[in-house]
């Protein structure tokens, strides 16, 4: 993992880079796209959750009793920014099946590119959890910043943001709004285009994940 300035971590493992290349390719069909997002999320989760709290547990091996460590599952909450966040969520939940899950429904207005909220449901006790917000694309950063603002209002304290591709503009905007939130990404791309799409990017993550275009 490559630590960048300003709290940005680029997960540049060769397997992540390889799978991201497949994901970007326009010829990759929906089923493969979905599987690749899940696989990359599993690999990124390994880094993102490196400091996950653990607790002692008493077990019996076939030879003797011992005190081992287990993840304190109740301390973690994944938040998916709908729709496309659900692709990453699947991989993260494979890693930590006991984690709590919340959803923030946001879509970008096609003209203003501003996020519009249509759904919000998170666990009650957000103040007691590490919150990991997932969304494959950090473009203008407005969706991520709006989601984090909303989560903080709901009590969330320690928050991490995980995406697959970030634009420099999105990283800057999220950090300006929420300097306390570290960003984990598999790549930082060149720039946004006039439609606020990430270039070279991978296109519209939600449409590719769900086959809606
Ligand atoms: O950084 P931003 O400029 O805010 O853009 C990023 C957002 O755009 C995409 O969602 P979209 O609005 O396409 O909704 P969808 O997931 O339902 O397709 C993406 O999944 C992010 O949520
Ligand atoms: O490049 C982009 C920008 C926003 N949303 C996407 O799905 N892709
Ligand atoms: Mg979309």
């Amino acid at each position: 993992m490559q630590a960048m300035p300003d709290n940005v971590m680029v997960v540049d493992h060769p397997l992540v880079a390889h799978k991201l290349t497949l994901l970007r390719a326009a010829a990759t069909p929906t089923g493969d796209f979905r599987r690749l997002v899940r696989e990359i999320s599993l690999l990124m989760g390994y880094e993102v959750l490196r400091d996950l709290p653990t607790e002692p547990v008493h077990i019996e091996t076939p030879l003797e009793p011992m005190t081992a460590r287990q993840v304190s599952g109740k301390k973690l909450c994944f938040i998916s920014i709908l729709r496309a966040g659900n692709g990453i969520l699947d991989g993260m939940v494979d890693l930590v099946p006991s984690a709590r899950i919340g959803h923030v429904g946001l879509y970008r207005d096609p003209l203003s590119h501003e996020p519009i909220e249509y759904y919000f449901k998170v666990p009650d006790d957000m103040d007691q959890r590490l919150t990991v917000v997932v969304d494959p694309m950090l473009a203008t950063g407005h969706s991520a910043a709006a989601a984090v603002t909303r989560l903080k209002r709901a009590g969330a304290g320690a928050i991490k943001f995980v995406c697959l591709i970030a634009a420099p503009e999105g990283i800057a905007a999220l950090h300006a709004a929420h300097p306390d939130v570290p960003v984990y990404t598999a790549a930082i791309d060149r720039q946004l285009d006039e439609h606020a799409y990430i270039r070279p990017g991978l296109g519209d993550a939600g449409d590719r994940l769900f086959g809606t275009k």
Side-chain angles (χ1 to χ4, degrees):
M1 185 170 59
Q2 203 183 338
M4 311 279 292
D6 289 337
N7 231 0
V8 179
M9 265 62 68
V10 179
V11 182
D12 56 356
H13 190 285
L15 285 173
V16 173
H18 179 83
K19 290 174 192 295
L20 185 63
T21 300
L22 296 173
L23 201 64
R24 288 179 187 275
T28 299
T30 300
D32 290 354
F33 190 93
R34 215 172 275 155
R35 177 180 51 78
L36 286 161
V37 170
R38 192 179 189 129
E39 288 175 3
I40 294 171
S41 306
L42 272 172
L43 293 167
M44 289 186 71
Y46 180 81
E47 289 297 346
V48 174
L49 302 175
R50 181 175 281 282
D51 56 359
L52 204 56
T54 58
E55 61 194 12
V57 57
H58 300 288
I59 58 167
E60 303 260 350
T61 79
L63 301 178
E64 64 177 57
M66 73 170 287
T67 302
R69 303 199 67 76
Q70 70 177 11
V71 168
S72 319
K74 285 197 206 110
K75 297 278 184 285
L76 184 63
C77 180
F78 294 124
I79 301 289
S80 169
I81 301 182
L82 303 175
R83 295 174 291 171
N86 278 2
I88 302 185
L89 181 68
D90 288 346
M92 294 286 171
V93 172
D94 282 350
L95 279 178
V96 191
S98 61
R100 302 309 194 250
I101 295 170
H103 296 89
V104 181
L106 292 176
Y107 70 89
R108 288 200 319 182
D109 179 85
L111 293 180
S112 71
H113 306 138
E114 287 303 314
I116 296 171
E117 184 181 310
Y118 59 89
Y119 188 75
F120 187 82
K121 184 72 182 175
V122 300
D124 286 339
D125 51 354
M126 292 297 289
D127 55 323
Q128 291 162 42
R129 299 179 181 280
L130 166 66
T131 299
V132 179
V133 182
V134 301
D135 189 334
M137 310 304 277
L138 184 65
T140 65
H142 295 160
S143 300
V148 170
T149 299
R150 194 71 170 77
L151 289 163
K152 285 183 175 174
R153 217 188 307 152
I159 301 176
K160 297 183 177 194
F161 181 80
V162 181
C163 60
L164 302 185
I165 302 180
E169 296 91 330
I171 292 172
L174 181 55
H175 278 321
H178 300 289
D180 55 309
V181 174
V183 171
Y184 293 78
T185 185
I188 301 174
D189 275 12
R190 192 180 65 242
Q191 65 182 120
L192 295 181
D193 67 15
E194 65 276 24
H195 305 293
Y197 270 78
I198 301 175
R199 296 296 183 106
L202 53 70
D204 190 299
D207 284 336
R208 294 198 64 190
L209 194 60
F210 296 108
T212 40
K213 254 186 198 147

